[in-house]
Amino acid sequence: MKRKKIKLLKTCLLFAGILFIVGCEHEENLTTDNDIPGTFKPGVFIINEGNFGGGNGSVSYFDLTESKMYNHIFQEINDRSLGDIPQSMFIMDSLGFIVVNNSAKIEVIDMDDFISVNTISGFSSPRHFLPVSDSTAYVSDMFSGSISVVNLDNYTITKTIETGMSTEQMMKIDNEVFIANWMGGNKILVIDPIIGEIIDSIEVIIEPNSMVMDKNHKLWVLCSGGYLNEEIPGILRIDPGTREKEEIFRFNKLESSPSHLCINGLGDTLYFLNNGIFQMPVSDTEIPSEPLVLTEKLFYSIGIDPESGIIYASDAIDYQQKGKVFRYLPEGALRDSFDVDIIPGSFVFNR
Amino acid sequence: MHYLVRHKKEILLLVYLAFTQLPSFSQSLKDTLEIQEVCVNYSSVLSMTAYKKTHINSSIVAEYNTRNLSELLGENTHLFIKTYGQGGLATSSLRGTSASHTMVTWNGVNINSPMLGQLDFSLIPASFLDEVEVFYGAGSIRDYSGALGGSVNLINEPDWDNRLNIELSQEFGSYHTRKSYFSTAFGNSRFQSQTRLFYNASENNFTFLNTEISQDPVNQERENASFSQGGIIQEFYLRPSSNHFLTARLWYQSNNRNIPEPMVVTPVDGNEKQKDHFLRSQINWKYYSKKVTVNTTTAWLYDFLNYSNRILGIDSENRTQTITGRIDLSYDLFPEIKLNSGVSGDYTFVWTENYREPAERKHFSTYFSAEKSIKPRLKINMMARQDIYNGEIVPLIPSAGIDIMLLKETDIHFKANISKNYRKPTLNDQYWYPGGNPELNEEKGTSSELSIDYAGSSGGILSYQAGVTAYRSKIDDWIQWQPGEYGYWEPANLKEVLSKGIESFLSLRLSLTGFSVSFGANYAYTSATNMKPSGSSDMSVNKQLVYVPGHQANACIKVKTSGFMVKYSYSYIGKRYISSDNSQFLPSYKLSDLSLSYAYKKGNQRAELNLFIENIWSIDYQAIAYHPMPGRSYFLSIRYFFKKDKAKKR
């Protein structure tokens, strides 16, 4: 009996030992495409937000000449993380400005080699970057209730313009800056960049989330109607000169949450997301009832190539894995798709 | 515009309050059992021998007196603990499940947050516990349904031999950490009172290498990671006669913490904070007769949580209250048949600005079980539990198990069990505004388990225990939050998770006069994969769930001589994927701790000096992506004990 016991114990020990050895697993390296693009034009930058607090935001680059997707280009070139929730990117001549929302900073990129040449910090919750002159730029902010004015010579915040409300997308039209008061708001603020003050505001529908200019010099504003469906969503056409609301197009469902108003390069056709991709000529008199593209996917973001008119739409899938970019022809036929990174949020075309 | 940041406020709350449900580790050294005069613990009377259980006895718990439950479980069980570091949120993952699948009970009463369905292990000081038992998988249905991963029961017990006991301890450690503890117990063989108090605080401002903010890594001091916790637990035990046993317990605790940013985010001084306090009380009456045991418990739990974030303008207050009552009966029909039955009711009420209106839940549960010894070496167990939530009947939960002693004179057991289980969505899943969905289905679990356990001793100086368990469990309608059609995050019955694995443990103890060596080791292999695609592009199918290590192990060796003790513990956490398509992961790490102590005893008094060195090889690692962990840390403590027991009969 005693011998049996010892045998048993030995067996157990052996088993435990084997399991321990199995524990020393093999670890392969992160499978990233290690080559980096030779040039950054012509191409499309895809800003992948990553997970909130996850620090895994990244930039993908689609080379239009090679038709090839390069992922994690910021990390590969600069040998460090981009940060938490990159939100938007603006290309100004030879420089790119990547607004990293939760890291509260802007990375200034040399567009020839994508090397970060500077970091602008001191923001609260920055969203978008817009140059208003050769030496100054505005940065909108979700929570600070102000616009930060950045000096582009030394990359510091020189002053802030109090708005008292959340600010989002910005557009410079003629000599005025139009700023959407998106989160919890229903206004378009108008700032005179020379005096740096709010000179007017236009009341729209709750939560204007995106805006574009058309070929007729009209401003189009898409409003979601609010996070909690406070109001029926709609699209407004505004004359930026007189600041008059010329048309209000309403959606037919209170629960709809339309977003991402875009326009093609010709400035004659609008696109937006509303549980499918919708196309609307600027001459239309009502919102189309049928989408141009409807799939089982819930698209996260879209962008329109200003030259080819090709529609870029992203699918974040489960928000915890590499997202996908689908390309559709202007008429809505699927062309191809590419893997990008976690939560592909915006498209920036470098033509 | 982008759901994620657009709804930053809500998401942050959700991430903070709910998404910490991502998975978490650990294992136990079974020391010699201390036989007590009467071994009465909390409520239940079922033995559940066919189900895997780890019991951490009081001598092991006592070694963790200045540490918390997450460290105790992490080093002594097969649980995976997912922690943000000292003072930060710590949740568990059992067999690849999420934090809300582990139920924590305090002497049999569920203390998981009804909003989140989970508990922060960092808020439970080990000094407030006497023993801990962990049920893996289906064993948890003894007390409650819904713990699809398993359950952890925190036990407080009286020592009837005690007459007067005083304990004082003070610890100072790295990063301005200080921990104070006081306890006193007095009474006789019919009445015992125990009072315990603790206060822990730390600046937690360790230095770490930040590799993410610039091309060359820079040394940075961790900011916004300070915390303080303080609490009291009072227990009264009364034994008016040998068959009546009354218990009353009250636990109050207040916790404050700053929440540090991930290292990719520039810290903003004191931006994100969590304050919470809770009051937990319970009264238990137990009656024994020759054939019948009656056990009744009533409990009242109150929880307050304030989460604030200055930049985002969040200042959210959440209050929950639960009243519980339960009766368990056990009846020995024949010497070989034991019948058990019980009924319990919980009433939960939640006030929060994150719901449209206060939410309530009425939960009734009843069970019946029979345990029969067919032969002296063969035992079978059948159980059925029926739950009703707000008047709505959940399918019946059946379970069956078998325990066979394989050899006549050797303590080697073969055990097997099979079970169903259901978990109702949490109140956040149902009522969070916006997104919460009262129509969500319950999560459905099916699990089976096979174990071989062996215990023995030789020559009275060597004792050993070893065991291997294999399990398979499937959870359908797994709930996950995701942005939906209307632009906000909402929960859905999205996944189908298959979890399979092997767990093994070994413990050895050699005792000679004035000298003992003990060794313990645990290993777990976990394969937890999603089986159901959310769409044609979904690459998460058949991939390991995020933050579930495939391999984890811990081992500990302890040498004791009269007065001196040296303990070296080691843990290995395998790589953990952090994206559901397994394209990104955190590398594995190995941590080692060293503890040295010297005790001086004179009469009824004892003094102890302890030096604890954490992460002795100063390994640079991350348990959670971009959250740095401290390198080598030192903690020096001094403890004083006065203990007077009843006079020993000669």
Side-chain angles (χ1 to χ4, degrees), chain A residues 8 13 15 19 23 25 27-28 30 49 52 54-55 81 85 87 101-103 124-125 127 142-143 182 207 209 227 255 260 275 296 300 318 320-322 345, chain B residues 1-2 5-8 10 12 212 264-265 311-312 412 434 454 468 480 483 485-486 488 504 506 523 536 538-539 572 574-575 579-581 583 585 588 626:
Chain A
L8 244 150
L13 273 168
F15 197 42
L19 292 177
E25 61 199 303
E27 281 176 25
E28 70 274 19
L30 231 169
E49 293 174 9
F52 191 85
S81 304
I85 317 284
Q87 177 63 37
N101 175 266
N102 202 37
S103 293
S124 171
S125 184
R127 298 285 291 178
M142 198 144 128
F143 295 105
W182 163 63
E207 300 214 327
N209 60 30
Y227 181 47
E255 293 80 26
H260 294 87
N275 199 17
E296 41 132 43
Y300 187 69
D318 65 355
Q320 290 187 64
Q321 63 180 291
K322 285 186 284 191
Chain B
M1 117 175 1
H2 304 123
V5 174
R6 145 63 175 103
H7 303 303
K8 193 164 179 174
E10 292 80 3
L12 203 94
E212 304 303 326
V264 290
V265 175
I311 291 180
L312 307 190
I412 179 160
Y454 175 51
V468 179
Q480 187 169 312
E485 191 181 332
Y486 301 129
Y488 41 71
S504 63
L506 171 71
Y523 166 78
S536 54
D538 189 355
M539 301 305 282
Y572 170 84
K575 82 174 171 194
S579 65
S580 66
D581 56 353
S583 60
F585 68 87
S588 63
Y626 299 113

XYZ file of all heavy atoms in Angstrom, chain A residues 8 13 15 19 23 25 27-28 30 49 52 54-55 81 85 87 101-103 124-125 127 142-143 182 207 209 227 255 260 275 296 300 318 320-322 345, chain B residues 1-2 5-8 10 12 212 264-265 311-312 412 434 454 468 480 483 485-486 488 504 506 523 536 538-539 572 574-575 579-581 583 585 588 626:
641
model
N 1.608 6.959 -6.619
C 0.560 7.931 -6.908
C 1.067 9.361 -6.784
O 0.829 10.214 -7.629
C -0.582 7.736 -5.906
C -1.869 7.302 -6.563
C -2.658 6.464 -5.585
C -2.643 8.502 -7.006
N 2.964 14.476 -9.026
C 4.065 15.426 -9.135
C 4.480 15.603 -10.581
O 4.670 16.724 -11.065
C 5.272 14.912 -8.344
C 5.298 15.290 -6.886
C 6.360 14.491 -6.156
C 5.580 16.779 -6.734
N 2.725 15.102 -13.189
C 1.669 15.789 -13.907
C 1.769 17.296 -13.685
O 1.742 18.089 -14.629
C 0.319 15.254 -13.449
C -0.787 15.601 -14.388
C -0.604 15.522 -15.755
C -2.021 16.000 -13.902
C -1.620 15.830 -16.622
C -3.042 16.323 -14.762
C -2.844 16.232 -16.127
N 2.609 20.248 -16.441
C 1.764 21.423 -16.624
C 2.567 22.700 -16.456
O 2.338 23.689 -17.122
C 0.593 21.393 -15.645
C -0.411 20.289 -15.925
C -1.498 20.293 -14.871
C -1.030 20.444 -17.301
N 3.409 25.656 -19.219
C 3.180 27.058 -18.881
C 4.179 28.011 -19.510
O 3.886 29.175 -19.710
N 5.072 29.310 -22.201
C 4.605 29.370 -23.575
C 5.511 30.205 -24.470
O 6.311 31.002 -24.022
C 3.197 29.945 -23.591
C 3.202 31.335 -23.017
C 1.817 31.766 -22.587
O 0.940 31.742 -23.424
O 1.636 32.112 -21.418
N 6.084 33.086 -27.143
C 5.460 34.370 -27.452
C 6.001 34.970 -28.735
O 7.147 35.401 -28.786
C 5.663 35.354 -26.303
C 4.685 35.078 -25.193
C 4.890 35.960 -23.992
O 5.432 37.065 -24.146
O 4.501 35.526 -22.904
N 5.192 35.008 -29.728
C 5.615 35.609 -30.992
C 5.452 37.124 -30.870
O 4.775 37.619 -29.978
C 4.800 35.057 -32.164
C 3.358 35.490 -32.214
C 2.421 34.626 -31.382
O 2.888 33.895 -30.481
O 1.219 34.704 -31.615
N 4.331 40.946 -32.006
C 3.139 41.544 -32.589
C 3.284 41.527 -34.104
O 4.276 42.003 -34.646
C 3.037 42.993 -32.121
C 1.701 43.427 -31.537
C 1.843 44.779 -30.882
C 0.620 43.425 -32.549
N -9.101 55.314 -33.477
C -9.210 55.892 -32.128
C -8.632 54.993 -31.046
O -8.111 55.450 -30.044
C -10.677 56.170 -31.815
C -11.265 57.258 -32.679
C -12.761 57.433 -32.464
O -13.307 56.837 -31.529
O -13.377 58.164 -33.250
N -10.926 53.601 -25.304
C -10.861 54.686 -24.336
C -10.021 54.248 -23.128
O -10.322 53.252 -22.488
C -12.272 55.058 -23.877
C -12.294 56.314 -23.090
C -12.361 57.532 -23.728
C -12.205 56.282 -21.710
C -12.345 58.707 -23.001
C -12.182 57.445 -20.987
C -12.261 58.663 -21.633
N -7.253 52.975 -23.330
C -6.452 51.817 -23.719
C -5.104 52.184 -24.326
O -4.235 51.344 -24.474
N -4.934 53.483 -24.682
C -3.653 53.944 -25.206
C -3.264 53.318 -26.534
O -2.109 53.341 -26.906
N 4.010 55.224 -28.695
C 2.569 55.242 -28.962
C 2.121 56.624 -29.380
O 2.701 57.627 -28.968
C 1.783 54.881 -27.706
O 2.214 53.662 -27.237
N -6.987 57.889 -27.862
C -8.056 58.446 -28.684
C -7.590 59.584 -29.614
O -7.953 60.748 -29.435
C -9.270 58.916 -27.840
C -9.629 57.918 -26.759
C -10.473 59.224 -28.725
C -10.351 56.671 -27.250
N -8.248 61.801 -32.530
C -9.592 62.175 -32.935
C -9.671 62.664 -34.370
O -10.574 62.299 -35.101
C -10.078 63.265 -31.972
C -11.426 63.832 -32.276
C -12.490 62.779 -32.156
O -12.430 61.930 -31.287
N -13.455 62.817 -33.050
N -7.273 63.224 -28.472
C -8.261 63.726 -27.525
C -7.968 63.409 -26.068
O -7.793 64.287 -25.240
C -9.639 63.189 -27.924
C -10.713 63.556 -26.943
O -11.023 62.786 -26.043
N -11.267 64.734 -27.070
N -7.911 62.146 -25.698
C -7.778 61.822 -24.277
C -6.359 62.012 -23.760
O -6.132 62.053 -22.563
C -8.274 60.396 -24.009
C -8.668 60.199 -22.561
O -9.214 61.100 -21.934
N -8.360 59.045 -22.020
N -5.392 62.119 -24.658
C -4.037 62.471 -24.233
C -3.886 63.987 -24.182
O -2.837 64.496 -23.809
C -2.985 61.873 -25.167
O -2.971 60.468 -25.066
N -7.663 70.548 -22.802
C -8.478 69.799 -21.876
C -8.981 68.532 -22.585
O -8.595 67.429 -22.258
C -9.631 70.693 -21.413
O -10.555 69.964 -20.680
N -9.819 68.729 -23.571
C -10.334 67.591 -24.335
C -10.428 67.996 -25.805
O -11.513 68.211 -26.333
C -11.705 67.193 -23.779
O -12.182 66.054 -24.432
N -10.541 68.453 -29.851
C -11.283 67.675 -30.853
C -10.815 67.932 -32.286
O -10.574 67.011 -33.014
C -12.784 68.031 -30.759
C -13.409 67.692 -29.427
C -13.633 66.229 -29.275
N -14.671 65.740 -30.166
C -15.027 64.464 -30.254
N -14.425 63.565 -29.518
N -15.975 64.096 -31.083
N -14.140 69.674 -26.200
C -15.417 69.108 -25.798
C -15.880 69.590 -24.430
O -17.060 69.756 -24.187
C -15.253 67.598 -25.770
C -16.522 66.870 -25.787
S -16.274 65.386 -26.753
C -16.842 64.179 -25.697
N -14.940 69.788 -23.515
C -15.362 70.061 -22.141
C -14.903 71.382 -21.545
O -15.407 71.787 -20.513
C -14.886 68.932 -21.214
C -15.538 67.617 -21.529
C -14.839 66.617 -22.174
C -16.860 67.398 -21.193
C -15.450 65.416 -22.477
C -17.474 66.201 -21.489
C -16.778 65.209 -22.136
N -21.598 71.135 -30.542
C -22.232 69.832 -30.695
C -22.733 69.231 -29.380
O -23.932 69.197 -29.140
C -21.215 68.924 -31.392
C -21.474 67.475 -31.296
C -22.544 66.816 -31.798
C -20.656 66.508 -30.673
N -22.422 65.492 -31.546
C -21.282 65.267 -30.850
C -19.435 66.557 -29.980
C -20.737 64.089 -30.349
C -18.894 65.392 -29.502
C -19.541 64.180 -29.676
N -27.554 69.155 -31.242
C -26.328 68.419 -31.542
C -25.908 68.384 -33.019
O -25.944 67.346 -33.678
C -26.373 67.004 -30.933
C -26.533 67.079 -29.416
C -25.818 65.986 -28.646
O -25.710 64.874 -29.156
O -25.362 66.272 -27.525
N -23.472 67.708 -35.518
C -22.265 66.889 -35.388
C -21.301 66.980 -36.562
O -20.160 66.566 -36.464
C -22.611 65.433 -35.072
C -23.460 64.762 -36.134
O -23.368 65.094 -37.304
N -24.300 63.829 -35.722
N -28.353 63.007 -28.052
C -27.966 61.681 -27.597
C -29.171 60.922 -27.060
O -29.310 59.722 -27.248
C -26.908 61.886 -26.509
C -26.337 60.651 -25.896
C -25.908 59.595 -26.692
C -26.167 60.568 -24.514
C -25.345 58.472 -26.129
C -25.602 59.446 -23.953
C -25.190 58.400 -24.752
O -24.639 57.297 -24.176
N -35.704 58.450 -33.255
C -34.589 57.646 -32.714
C -33.360 57.634 -33.614
O -32.307 57.178 -33.201
C -35.023 56.197 -32.483
C -36.055 56.007 -31.391
C -37.451 56.328 -31.883
O -37.686 56.213 -33.104
O -38.290 56.721 -31.066
N -21.752 62.084 -39.561
C -20.719 62.100 -40.588
C -21.176 62.664 -41.937
O -21.081 61.987 -42.955
C -20.142 60.691 -40.785
C -19.401 60.199 -39.596
N -20.030 59.563 -38.571
C -18.093 60.264 -39.266
C -19.138 59.251 -37.650
N -17.966 59.671 -38.043
N -27.360 54.447 -40.148
C -27.563 53.007 -40.203
C -27.519 52.543 -41.657
O -28.397 51.858 -42.142
C -28.906 52.661 -39.547
C -28.975 51.203 -39.148
O -27.939 50.546 -39.070
N -30.165 50.713 -38.896
N -25.371 44.528 -43.264
C -25.575 44.118 -41.875
C -24.636 44.885 -40.941
O -24.828 44.901 -39.744
C -25.329 42.610 -41.748
C -24.120 42.125 -42.559
C -23.161 41.241 -41.807
O -23.641 40.370 -41.079
O -21.938 41.427 -41.953
N -19.033 52.909 -38.757
C -18.619 53.805 -37.685
C -18.298 55.197 -38.216
O -18.548 56.188 -37.550
C -17.383 53.211 -36.994
C -16.974 53.964 -35.762
C -17.769 53.932 -34.615
C -15.805 54.712 -35.733
C -17.410 54.618 -33.474
C -15.439 55.408 -34.589
C -16.246 55.360 -33.462
O -15.895 56.044 -32.338
N -16.403 44.749 -33.260
C -16.812 44.693 -31.846
C -16.096 45.740 -30.988
O -16.130 45.673 -29.780
C -16.604 43.287 -31.274
C -15.132 42.894 -31.217
O -14.289 43.683 -31.703
O -14.815 41.819 -30.689
N -13.201 46.028 -30.240
C -12.062 45.489 -29.489
C -11.103 44.768 -30.409
O -10.237 44.040 -29.953
C -12.555 44.473 -28.453
C -13.310 45.075 -27.306
C -13.582 44.008 -26.264
O -12.670 43.468 -25.662
N -14.844 43.692 -26.061
N -11.331 44.881 -31.730
C -10.442 44.218 -32.666
C -10.137 45.170 -33.817
O -10.703 46.253 -33.906
C -11.064 42.923 -33.176
C -12.346 43.117 -33.963
C -12.930 41.793 -34.444
O -12.353 41.155 -35.302
N -14.048 41.385 -33.880
N -9.223 44.709 -34.680
C -8.869 45.522 -35.836
C -10.120 45.813 -36.648
O -10.868 44.910 -37.001
C -7.876 44.763 -36.725
C -6.475 44.723 -36.151
C -5.497 44.104 -37.130
C -5.652 42.602 -37.170
N -4.560 41.933 -37.894
N -11.787 55.843 -36.984
C -12.728 56.931 -36.740
C -12.790 58.021 -37.778
O -13.835 58.589 -38.017
N -19.095 63.078 -32.161
C -19.567 62.432 -33.363
C -19.206 60.986 -33.301
O -20.011 60.121 -33.529
C -19.013 63.188 -34.531
C -18.100 62.550 -35.484
S -17.698 63.608 -36.851
C -18.535 65.085 -36.559
N -17.987 60.711 -32.895
C -17.689 59.298 -32.786
C -18.205 58.869 -31.440
O -17.924 59.483 -30.450
C -16.208 59.088 -32.912
C -15.760 59.678 -34.195
N -14.808 60.615 -34.301
C -16.250 59.496 -35.436
C -14.688 60.965 -35.574
N -15.554 60.297 -36.265
N -15.963 58.947 -28.148
C -15.525 60.125 -27.440
C -16.671 61.080 -27.264
O -16.772 61.786 -26.279
C -14.366 60.783 -28.179
C -14.004 62.082 -27.529
C -13.200 59.849 -28.146
N -17.562 61.024 -28.197
C -18.725 61.868 -28.127
C -19.433 61.609 -26.810
O -19.866 62.502 -26.131
C -19.618 61.543 -29.323
C -21.099 61.612 -29.088
C -21.474 63.005 -28.737
N -22.893 63.210 -28.591
C -23.467 63.311 -27.420
N -22.780 63.135 -26.320
N -24.743 63.587 -27.352
N -19.534 60.391 -26.469
C -20.231 60.051 -25.244
C -19.236 59.678 -24.176
O -19.423 58.760 -23.405
C -21.243 58.957 -25.510
C -22.186 59.375 -26.575
N -22.924 60.522 -26.454
C -22.436 58.879 -27.785
C -23.609 60.693 -27.573
N -23.327 59.713 -28.392
N -18.175 60.438 -24.185
C -17.070 60.201 -23.293
C -17.529 60.048 -21.849
O -17.107 59.158 -21.119
C -16.165 61.418 -23.397
C -14.821 61.251 -22.800
C -13.947 62.352 -23.319
C -12.556 62.280 -22.746
N -11.677 63.243 -23.341
N -20.461 59.256 -20.595
C -21.178 58.009 -20.309
C -20.229 56.836 -20.411
O -20.253 55.931 -19.590
C -22.324 57.818 -21.298
C -23.452 58.814 -21.132
C -23.174 60.159 -21.756
O -22.111 60.312 -22.387
O -24.005 61.062 -21.616
N -17.073 56.781 -20.082
C -16.113 56.733 -19.009
C -16.731 56.073 -17.805
O -16.141 55.206 -17.161
C -15.664 58.141 -18.660
C -14.329 58.014 -17.996
C -13.249 58.184 -19.017
C -14.180 58.950 -16.878
N 6.305 55.485 -23.529
C 5.310 55.865 -24.525
C 5.241 57.331 -24.871
O 4.674 57.690 -25.882
C 3.922 55.408 -24.058
C 3.839 53.928 -23.758
C 4.232 53.054 -24.940
O 3.954 53.460 -26.079
O 4.816 51.990 -24.720
N -0.037 56.909 -21.300
C -0.051 57.698 -22.542
C -0.778 59.026 -22.362
O -0.816 59.836 -23.271
C -0.727 56.919 -23.697
C 0.146 55.766 -24.137
C -2.107 56.420 -23.291
N -1.380 59.220 -21.194
C -2.152 60.435 -20.943
C -1.413 61.276 -19.904
O -0.976 60.762 -18.884
C -3.564 60.063 -20.428
C -4.343 61.297 -20.033
C -4.332 59.266 -21.483
N -12.551 67.260 -15.377
C -12.511 67.722 -16.774
C -13.806 67.381 -17.500
O -14.368 68.185 -18.228
C -11.306 67.102 -17.517
C -10.016 67.700 -16.965
C -11.408 67.349 -19.014
C -8.763 67.169 -17.616
N -14.291 66.184 -17.278
C -15.500 65.773 -17.978
C -16.768 66.260 -17.280
O -17.869 65.996 -17.755
C -15.550 64.252 -18.118
C -14.334 63.574 -18.735
C -14.629 62.119 -19.022
C -13.906 64.259 -20.027
N -7.846 9.142 -1.895
C -7.816 9.606 -3.278
C -9.241 9.566 -3.818
O -9.916 8.553 -3.707
C -6.802 8.822 -4.139
C -6.832 9.323 -5.585
C -7.048 7.316 -4.085
C -5.587 8.963 -6.354
N -28.654 56.307 -21.285
C -29.418 55.437 -22.182
C -28.684 54.124 -22.434
O -27.518 54.001 -22.096
C -29.465 56.255 -23.469
C -28.157 56.976 -23.465
C -27.799 57.237 -22.026
N -5.980 14.075 -4.120
C -5.237 13.118 -3.330
C -4.656 13.822 -2.122
O -4.104 14.913 -2.218
C -4.116 12.525 -4.198
C -3.180 11.608 -3.467
C -3.672 10.556 -2.696
C -1.802 11.789 -3.549
C -2.813 9.713 -2.029
C -0.935 10.946 -2.889
C -1.442 9.906 -2.128
O -0.594 9.075 -1.458
N -5.961 17.474 -9.635
C -6.072 17.941 -11.013
C -7.548 18.017 -11.365
O -8.313 17.105 -11.025
C -5.366 16.989 -11.997
C -5.518 17.496 -13.421
C -3.905 16.846 -11.667
N -22.635 41.759 -23.564
C -21.534 42.692 -23.790
C -22.086 44.032 -24.241
O -23.085 44.093 -24.952
C -20.604 42.127 -24.852
C -19.352 42.965 -25.000
C -18.320 42.263 -25.854
O -18.025 41.085 -25.652
N -17.786 42.981 -26.816
N -21.482 49.993 -28.983
C -22.293 51.066 -29.562
C -23.347 50.477 -30.505
O -23.061 49.564 -31.266
C -21.286 51.898 -30.349
C -19.978 51.581 -29.730
C -20.070 50.147 -29.306
N -27.186 51.067 -32.889
C -27.773 51.769 -34.023
C -28.070 53.236 -33.724
O -27.971 54.090 -34.587
C -29.073 51.028 -34.360
C -29.702 51.403 -35.639
C -31.002 50.613 -35.828
O -31.121 49.489 -35.297
O -31.882 51.154 -36.489
N -28.457 53.530 -32.490
C -28.873 54.900 -32.178
C -27.762 55.734 -31.565
O -28.007 56.749 -30.944
C -30.116 54.877 -31.282
C -31.254 54.147 -31.961
C -31.938 53.130 -31.317
C -31.612 54.476 -33.271
C -32.962 52.454 -31.967
C -32.622 53.804 -33.918
C -33.303 52.793 -33.275
O -34.292 52.127 -33.909
N -25.600 55.195 -29.082
C -25.061 55.057 -27.741
C -24.754 53.599 -27.442
O -25.178 52.703 -28.162
C -25.993 55.637 -26.681
C -27.464 55.370 -26.869
C -27.993 54.097 -26.676
C -28.311 56.406 -27.233
C -29.337 53.861 -26.833
C -29.658 56.170 -27.411
C -30.170 54.903 -27.209
O -31.500 54.674 -27.376
N -4.378 22.504 -11.647
C -3.738 21.510 -10.791
C -3.120 22.196 -9.592
O -2.795 23.385 -9.650
C -2.669 20.750 -11.566
O -1.660 21.632 -11.963
N -0.587 21.409 -5.905
C 0.243 20.489 -5.140
C 0.662 21.210 -3.876
O 1.040 22.373 -3.910
C 1.490 20.141 -5.975
C 2.579 19.352 -5.267
C 2.106 17.932 -5.022
C 3.839 19.344 -6.109
N -1.405 25.667 -10.846
C -1.254 25.963 -12.262
C -2.640 25.926 -12.905
O -3.466 25.075 -12.561
C -0.332 24.939 -12.931
C -0.421 24.996 -14.433
C 0.246 25.994 -15.139
C -1.220 24.100 -15.129
C 0.114 26.091 -16.516
C -1.353 24.187 -16.513
C -0.682 25.185 -17.194
O -0.825 25.292 -18.551
N -19.861 39.293 -40.604
C -18.922 38.558 -41.449
C -17.473 39.002 -41.260
O -16.553 38.258 -41.554
C -19.323 38.715 -42.911
O -19.420 40.086 -43.217
N -16.126 39.770 -38.351
C -15.699 39.550 -36.972
C -14.611 38.487 -36.889
O -14.831 37.319 -37.189
C -16.910 39.140 -36.126
C -16.588 39.109 -34.642
O -15.414 39.310 -34.283
O -17.512 38.893 -33.841
N -13.416 38.920 -36.488
C -12.293 38.002 -36.393
C -12.086 37.489 -34.963
O -11.053 36.936 -34.643
C -11.004 38.709 -36.862
C -11.053 39.222 -38.287
S -11.481 37.934 -39.467
C -9.901 37.109 -39.575
N 3.413 33.462 -12.044
C 3.613 33.599 -13.483
C 2.257 33.883 -14.111
O 1.283 33.171 -13.878
C 4.182 32.299 -14.056
C 4.194 32.279 -15.568
C 5.239 32.864 -16.278
C 3.155 31.686 -16.281
C 5.234 32.867 -17.670
C 3.146 31.688 -17.677
C 4.190 32.282 -18.363
O 4.187 32.296 -19.727
N 0.704 34.391 -17.807
C 0.981 34.252 -19.233
C 0.487 35.446 -20.022
O -0.133 36.363 -19.477
N 0.764 35.423 -21.298
C 0.372 36.583 -22.090
C -1.149 36.704 -22.141
O -1.871 35.711 -22.093
C 0.996 36.518 -23.473
C 0.289 35.665 -24.472
C 0.969 35.852 -25.815
C 0.445 34.844 -26.802
N 1.259 34.739 -27.997
N -6.857 42.611 -27.547
C -7.843 42.881 -28.604
C -8.532 41.563 -28.916
O -7.923 40.502 -28.833
C -7.174 43.467 -29.845
O -6.298 42.529 -30.419
N -9.802 41.642 -29.250
C -10.593 40.419 -29.352
C -10.194 39.548 -30.533
O -10.489 38.362 -30.557
C -12.078 40.762 -29.419
O -12.341 41.454 -30.617
N -9.493 40.146 -31.524
C -9.031 39.324 -32.647
C -7.637 38.781 -32.361
O -6.991 38.201 -33.228
C -9.027 40.143 -33.946
C -8.197 41.419 -33.841
O -7.734 41.735 -32.725
O -8.022 42.109 -34.850
N -4.884 40.308 -31.992
C -3.788 40.932 -32.726
C -2.871 41.717 -31.800
O -1.764 42.064 -32.173
C -4.332 41.857 -33.824
O -5.117 42.875 -33.254
N -1.353 42.016 -27.658
C -1.306 41.344 -26.355
C -0.318 42.008 -25.418
O 0.537 42.797 -25.841
C -0.945 39.862 -26.534
C 0.461 39.620 -27.012
C 1.518 39.520 -26.117
C 0.741 39.481 -28.368
C 2.813 39.295 -26.557
C 2.036 39.263 -28.825
C 3.075 39.176 -27.910
N 3.872 38.122 -21.056
C 3.791 37.432 -19.769
C 4.754 38.070 -18.767
O 5.663 38.813 -19.160
C 4.169 35.973 -19.954
O 5.521 35.897 -20.378
N -0.795 49.884 -20.423
C -0.402 51.266 -20.151
C -0.623 51.720 -18.714
O -0.582 52.910 -18.427
C -1.050 52.240 -21.144
C -0.622 51.945 -22.561
C -1.521 51.481 -23.509
C 0.720 52.085 -22.923
C -1.105 51.159 -24.793
C 1.134 51.777 -24.191
C 0.225 51.314 -25.124
O 0.644 51.004 -26.384
